[in-house]
Amino acid sequence: MKAVLFYFSGTGNALWAARQVSVGLGGAEVVPMVAPQAVDACRDVDMVGLFFPVHIWGVPGRVLRFVEEIVAALSPEAYLFAVAVNGGQVSGTLLQLNAFCRRRNRVLHQGLGLHLPSNYLPWGGAGSPEVVDGLIAAAREKIHSWIPSLRERQQAPPERGPLWQRLLFTGIYHLSFKQV
């Protein structure tokens, strides 16, 4: 199985997660979404993973533009999954990405949320070293639990936050960002 994992990361959390999954999948290629060769890297692959941070409780615009770019390059049989790295609130981010993919006749086979230390300073930032260590240990466990279902190319509904988060935070996201 040939797999490529694309990441968009400012602080390194999404890159770290992509590298962890790459190891679990036996060495999948890890490529930044902003690399000039990124679209070409997804041709003739069996599996594509998208790793990105949650921005204002939604998918970053750059990630949506990247998905738009790769849709035509992907084989119809390619397995597509996404990991939304967040500081504790995935909200409706993966539902948003799933709908975006469906509108482009693509299936998002799995949408996975991963809680890692927050980098949002107004809400306290990453937390104490003990909190950070605990989040990283829990993230490693969660990633390890994903590997069998990814290898088996299973399909599952995207992870999502509680209804109140999806209603409130999705509204804030739409006020903040223009959709692709």
Side-chain angles (χ1 to χ4, degrees):
M1 168 181 66
K2 183 177 177 191
V4 63
L5 309 177
F6 294 102
Y7 71 91
F8 178 70
S9 189
T11 63
N13 283 345
L15 172 58
W16 177 85
R19 287 177 174 161
Q20 299 299 307
V21 171
S22 173
V23 169
L25 293 176
E29 184 178 7
V30 177
V31 177
M33 288 183 194
V34 296
Q37 77 280 12
V39 173
D40 290 335
C42 71
R43 297 184 197 285
D44 302 317
V45 297
D46 303 306
M47 176 183 290
V48 169
L50 306 170
F51 294 76
F52 58 89
V54 172
H55 281 185
I56 309 181
W57 305 286
V59 182
R62 179 62 187 106
V63 174
L64 294 174
R65 287 189 298 278
F66 180 75
V67 172
E68 186 80 50
E69 292 171 10
I70 67 168
V71 164
L74 284 176
S75 149
E77 295 81 32
Y79 180 83
L80 179 64
F81 73 95
V83 175
V85 176
N86 61 84
Q89 298 171 332
V90 74
S91 190
T93 303
L94 293 160
L95 297 172
Q96 174 196 10
L97 182 60
N98 187 42
F100 187 83
C101 288
R102 274 196 322 250
R103 287 191 302 272
R104 283 142 187 87
N105 297 314
R106 286 297 315 179
V107 173
L108 179 64
H109 295 93
Q110 286 197 59
L112 307 159
L114 187 64
H115 183 181
L116 279 168
S118 175
N119 63 8
Y120 192 61
L121 296 178
W123 286 358
S128 69
E130 295 79 19
V131 168
V132 169
D133 290 345
L135 288 172
I136 291 171
R140 281 184 201 276
E141 268 186 49
K142 191 170 187 183
I143 289 170
H144 182 72
S145 75
W146 295 338
I147 300 303
S149 69
L150 293 175
R151 283 187 177 172
E152 294 170 15
R153 300 168 53 106
Q154 293 178 355
Q155 188 161 348
E159 289 184 32
R160 60 185 177 187
L163 180 61
W164 72 267
Q165 275 186 9
R166 295 190 323 263
L167 293 174
L168 175 63
F169 295 153
T170 300
I172 293 170
Y173 173 87
H174 286 297
L175 288 173
S176 303
F177 287 107
K178 230 183 200 183
Q179 290 291 311
V180 173

